[in-house]
Structure formats: C-alpha cells, structure tokens
Amino acid sequence: MPDMSASVSLAVTHLVPLAKEVDENKVTPGVLGFIVFAVMALAVWGLMKSMSKHMNKVDFKESPDPSADKADKADSAARRS
C-alpha cells in the first residue's frame, strides 16, 4: 500500500495551499472537510444501496403453520357448541 499513502500525501500537499487562501479570521472546514464529507456521503449512499438490494432478496411471507390451523378449527368448533 505504499502507492496509497503516496497519493494521499500528494493530495494533502495540494489541498493545504488551497486552505491557506481562506481568510485566517474565519473558521471553516475548508476543502479537505468538504472532501471528507463527500467521501462519507458516497460511502453511506453505497451502503444504503447495498442494503436495499439485500433486503429485496428477503422473502417475508410465512408458510401457514399446520398445528395452528388444527387449533383454530378446534377453538371455533368449541365456540359453536
């Protein structure tokens, strides 16, 4: 993973001068804050899309329980008499 750390350090060295152009008296998240927020938003969007895809595969229909049907018939017969 040395390539990733090199690319991250290269990106940071390009973003730091952009952040220095902002007025020193203002407190802002800057470009780096926006990039971090955008990456997190994309990650959440991807996770939600994946979760939706997996939830659509789930079958929520229950098969009827044969023992419950027998109990219901016995209860209804007992109530009629």
Side-chain angles (χ1 to χ4, degrees), residues 1-11:
M1 286 206 164
D3 295 330
M4 186 169 183
S5 64
S7 62
V8 169
S9 66
L10 181 64

Side-chain angles (χ1 to χ4, degrees), residues 10-25:
L10 181 64
V12 169
T13 57
H14 287 300
L15 292 176
V16 169
L18 291 175
K20 292 293 181 186
E21 294 175 6
V22 179
D23 185 14
E24 296 291 331
N25 296 326

Side-chain angles (χ1 to χ4, degrees), residues 20-42:
K20 292 293 181 186
E21 294 175 6
V22 179
D23 185 14
E24 296 291 331
N25 296 326
K26 293 183 181 178
V27 178
T28 62
V31 177
L32 185 60
F34 174 75
I35 291 173
V36 169
F37 181 78
V39 168
M40 288 175 56
L42 286 173

Side-chain angles (χ1 to χ4, degrees), residues 39-54:
V39 168
M40 288 175 56
L42 286 173
V44 169
W45 176 78
L47 287 171
M48 292 295 290
K49 188 171 181 178
S50 175
M51 183 186 70
S52 175
K53 184 177 163 184
H54 286 284

Side-chain angles (χ1 to χ4, degrees), residues 62-75:
E62 292 185 18
S63 59
D65 187 12
S67 63
D69 288 340
K70 291 177 185 176
D72 287 341
K73 288 179 184 176
D75 287 342

